């Protein structure tokens, strides 16, 4: 079965996020003075072929630990959904 | 016989010729090593120079660790061979797990390209054994991601084991504990953000990098 994994990688709490800080300082200039706690991360989308969802998730988590995120400074979350049969990915 | 130094070149590396030339001018026998090579041959030391290895895609240094040469570099380091990573090379060494911690984006999001004052904190490394503890060297930095971070336990270990090799006198990038360079537990792997090869001759504005490069070229006298 094919699964689409959406992986969200963000800097851990406590790790300085200068990009988030810049955006947080810029938004009030547009009138959004009620914004706080801006963090910038990245999204990685991939398709993985696995016998079942649990197997696919285990593999994606392993990929995150080994390459997609740096555990020293980043945390991640994985969102998995099956690719509907017959649809293109 | 001249000390043989391999200077690793990934796609996107751009400081390799400066390094080869500055080591050569000091009597070293330096040559570039392409990242696809898996045999390091007969080298006395390895340098991973600055640049943007593999375009710095994903994270700085993240993809470089999968290049064939890195397995040989890891084996060379495990056998006690001196390995020095400068700037992007430091980032590669942290991603490869040869040095702890990581290099984050500079505080204030500025790319910093200027001379900084660097204090030598220990001389028991292959890059500093001909320098003096406490001496201040004027050496350029040229980076966007030089903000050293690690967890508290790692920081305590680095301090307790005298593994902070260089500190910034005036921290330019927000680096934890003013750290500009560290070494491995075995002390033979050293990473630093500043570029000693760009301070290797008075005509470049500073020759303060010379004691560091000379240290690398005299590996036999590294204290145990």
């Amino acid at each position: 079965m094919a699964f689409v994994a959406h992986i969200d990688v963000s800097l851990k709490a406590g790790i300085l996020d200068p990009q988030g800080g810049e955006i947080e300082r810029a938004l009030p200039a547009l009138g959004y003075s009620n914004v706080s706690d801006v963090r910038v991360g990245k999204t990685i989308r991939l398709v993985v072929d696995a016998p079942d969802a649990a197997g696919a998730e285990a593999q994606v988590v392993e990929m995150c630990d080994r390459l997609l995120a740096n555990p020293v400074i980043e945390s991640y979350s994985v969102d998995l959904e099956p690719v509907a049969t017959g649809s293109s990915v | 016989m001249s000390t043989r130094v391999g200077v690793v070149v990934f796609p996107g590396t751009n400081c390799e010729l400066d390094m080869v030339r500055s080591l050569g001018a000091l009597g070293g026998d330096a040559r570039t090593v392409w990242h696809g090579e898996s045999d390091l041959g007969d080298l006395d030391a390895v340098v991973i120079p600055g640049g943007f290895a593999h375009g710095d895609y994903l994270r700085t240094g993240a993809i470089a660790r999968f290049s064939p040469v890195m397995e040989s570099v890891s084996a060379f380091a495990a056998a006690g061979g001196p390995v020095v990573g400068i700037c992007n090379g430091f980032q590669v060494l942290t991603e490869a797990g040869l040095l702890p911690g990581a290099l984050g984006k500079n505080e204030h999001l500025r790319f910093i390209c200027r001379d900084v004052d660097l204090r030598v904190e220990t001389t028991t490394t292959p890059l500093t054994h001909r320098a003096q503890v406490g001496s201040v060297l004027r050496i350029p930095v040229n980076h966007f991601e030089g903000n050293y971070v690690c967890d508290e336990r790692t920081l305590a270990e680095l301090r307790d084991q005298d593994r902070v090799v260089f500190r910034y006198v005036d921290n330019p990038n927000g680096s934890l504990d003013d750290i500009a360079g560290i070494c491995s537990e075995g002390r033979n792997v050293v990473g630093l953000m500043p570029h000693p090869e760009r301070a290797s001759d008075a005509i470049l504005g500073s020759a303060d990098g010379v004691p560091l490069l000379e240290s690398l070229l005299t590996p036999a006298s590294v204290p145990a």
Side-chain angles (χ1 to χ4, degrees):
Chain A
M1 276 181 79
F3 298 88
V4 185
H6 293 275
I7 301 148
D8 186 61
V9 181
S10 56
L11 289 167
K12 283 181 177 170
I15 297 288
L16 181 75
D17 178 7
Q19 292 185 105
E22 281 302 315
I23 292 169
E24 194 165 320
R25 282 186 287 279
L27 285 171
L30 295 174
Y32 303 103
S33 53
N34 56 337
V35 175
S36 61
D37 206 18
V38 179
R39 306 287 284 175
V40 175
K42 60 188 136 192
T43 299
I44 300 164
R45 174 194 174 280
L46 56 86
V47 175
V48 59
D49 206 32
D52 54 47
E57 180 157 356
Q59 219 180 12
V60 173
V61 164
E62 191 182 297
M63 292 175 205
C64 289
D65 289 336
R66 297 184 65 190
L67 173 65
L68 303 179
N70 180 340
V72 178
I73 50 173
E74 293 171 328
S75 56
Y76 61 84
S77 61
V78 176
D79 190 27
L80 204 68
E81 53 183 301
V83 176
T85 317
S87 75
S88 66
V89 292
Chain B
M1 200 175 69
S2 298
T3 305
R4 290 153 306 188
V5 183
V7 180
V8 178
V9 183
F10 301 96
T13 298
N14 59 20
C15 298
E16 72 275 19
L17 295 181
D18 302 46
M19 181 52 76
V20 166
R21 189 186 166 100
S22 60
L23 289 172
L26 294 170
D29 175 15
R31 67 171 179 94
T32 56
V33 177
W34 181 240
H35 79 116
E37 289 180 38
S38 49
D39 182 6
L40 288 177
D42 239 357
L43 292 177
D44 301 307
V46 170
V47 173
I48 304 184
F52 301 86
H54 295 274
D56 275 350
Y57 292 158
L58 189 62
R59 292 180 306 277
T60 55
I63 308 293
R65 93 174 130 107
F66 298 101
S67 283
V69 74
M70 284 309 293
E71 224 167 284
S72 311
V73 171
S74 295
F76 183 78
V83 176
V84 174
I86 294 165
C87 198
N88 191 225
F90 185 9
Q91 296 160 346
V92 170
L93 291 176
T94 60
E95 282 284 346
L98 291 174
L99 289 173
L103 283 313
K105 285 187 171 58
N106 294 342
E107 205 176 35
H108 310 308
L109 273 187
R110 288 199 187 94
F111 189 100
I112 306 169
C113 181
R114 61 178 166 88
D115 292 346
V116 298
D117 287 330
L118 204 62
R119 196 171 57 243
V120 177
E121 302 285 22
T122 176
T123 53
T124 53
T125 80
L127 192 65
T128 55
H129 63 93
R130 296 190 57 152
Q132 307 286 325
V133 171
S135 68
V136 173
L137 309 175
R138 188 121 183 108
I139 292 184
V141 292
N142 185 52
H143 62 248
F144 188 56
E145 282 161 314
N147 184 346
Y148 184 78
V149 287
C150 64
D151 59 32
E152 279 177 28
R153 204 180 118 196
T154 304
L155 180 62
E157 272 177 19
L158 291 175
R159 286 173 175 161
D160 294 348
Q161 298 168 2
D162 192 30
R163 288 167 55 194
V164 176
V165 183
F166 303 101
R167 281 195 174 88
Y168 300 110
V169 173
D170 185 12
N171 191 338
N173 56 23
S175 204
L176 185 66
D177 199 23
D178 300 332
I179 288 174
I182 57 169
C183 69
S184 61
E185 205 173 346
R187 310 198 75 81
N188 58 310
V189 180
V190 180
L192 71 162
M193 290 312 296
H195 288 265
E197 79 281 9
R198 297 191 192 176
S200 56
D201 195 312
I203 202 170
L204 299 173
S206 169
D208 285 3
V210 169
L212 306 182
L213 300 173
E214 279 180 344
S215 297
L216 192 61
L217 293 175
T218 48
S221 55
V222 179

